[in-house]
């Protein structure tokens, strides 16, 4: 990474990227979802490689190993996030082990042809095509 010092402020500039082996993969997913409903999705590496948490003493801890489900509408490009819950594991670095999570499609998600990705530790899976009803 590269750091540029400007006065008393440092600005982080990203110079690299993740390795493809770190990406979550989606192996089982619904091809069609309905707003307001819950669905199960399966694949690998949904919890990333580490908890990668940031902490501030004993008052605040934040982990990044929760899987995020992102739905992007194909027509508008608008991005929506689905609430994930009931993960099969919160273990990290699960390798090729199949894991799963449930996700809730919000009532505000736009309908139509869309793509879905799972994001773990800030790393997105390859997109899959779904239809939101």
């Amino acid at each position: 990474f590269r750091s540029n010092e400007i006065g008393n402020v440092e600005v982080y500039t990203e110079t690299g990227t993740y390795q493809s082996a770190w990406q979550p993969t989606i192996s089982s997913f619904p091809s069609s979802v309905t707003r307001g409903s819950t669905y199960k999705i399966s694949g690998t590496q949904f919890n990333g490689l580490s908890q990668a948490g940031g902490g501030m003493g004993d008052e605040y801890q934040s982990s990044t190993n929760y899987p995020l489900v992102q739905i992007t509408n194909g027509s508008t490009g608008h991005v929506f996030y689905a609430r994930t819950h009931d993960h099969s594991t919160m273990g990290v670095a699960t390798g090729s082990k199949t894991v799963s999570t449930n996700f809730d499609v919000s009532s505000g998600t736009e309908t139509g042809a869309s793509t879905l990705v799972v994001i773990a530790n800030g790393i997105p899976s390859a997109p899959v095509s779904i239809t939101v009803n």
Side-chain angles (χ1 to χ4, degrees):
F1 95 93
R2 189 178 69 196
S3 176
N4 299 321
E5 190 169 329
I6 303 170
N8 291 329
V9 176
E10 288 190 31
V11 177
Y12 173 78
T13 304
E14 177 60 51
T15 59
T17 189
Y18 55 86
Q19 295 180 22
S20 60
W22 301 347
Q23 285 183 278
T25 63
I26 299 171
S27 57
S28 176
F29 63 96
S31 60
S32 179
V33 298
T34 301
R35 298 183 301 174
S37 296
T38 300
Y39 299 90
K40 184 175 183 177
I41 188 168
S42 301
T44 62
Q45 296 287 79
F46 281 12
N47 299 103
L49 298 176
S50 75
Q51 286 187 329
M56 299 177 74
D58 61 357
E59 298 171 9
Y60 178 71
Q61 297 290 324
S62 61
S63 298
T64 65
N65 64 317
Y66 290 88
L68 303 176
V69 170
Q70 176 184 289
I71 299 170
T72 304
N73 183 278
S75 295
T76 66
H78 295 159
V79 175
F80 301 87
Y81 288 90
R83 176 183 174 265
T84 59
H85 56 92
D86 298 323
H87 320 298
S88 62
T89 183
M90 284 306 295
V92 296
T94 53
S96 61
K97 179 183 176 184
T98 298
V99 296
S100 65
T101 192
N102 291 312
F103 67 97
D104 300 336
V105 180
S106 75
S107 59
T109 303
E110 292 174 341
T111 59
S114 301
T115 57
L116 180 147
V117 298
V118 172
I119 302 169
N121 293 144
I123 301 171
S125 68
V128 295
S129 296
I130 65 166
T131 301
V132 178
N133 298 305

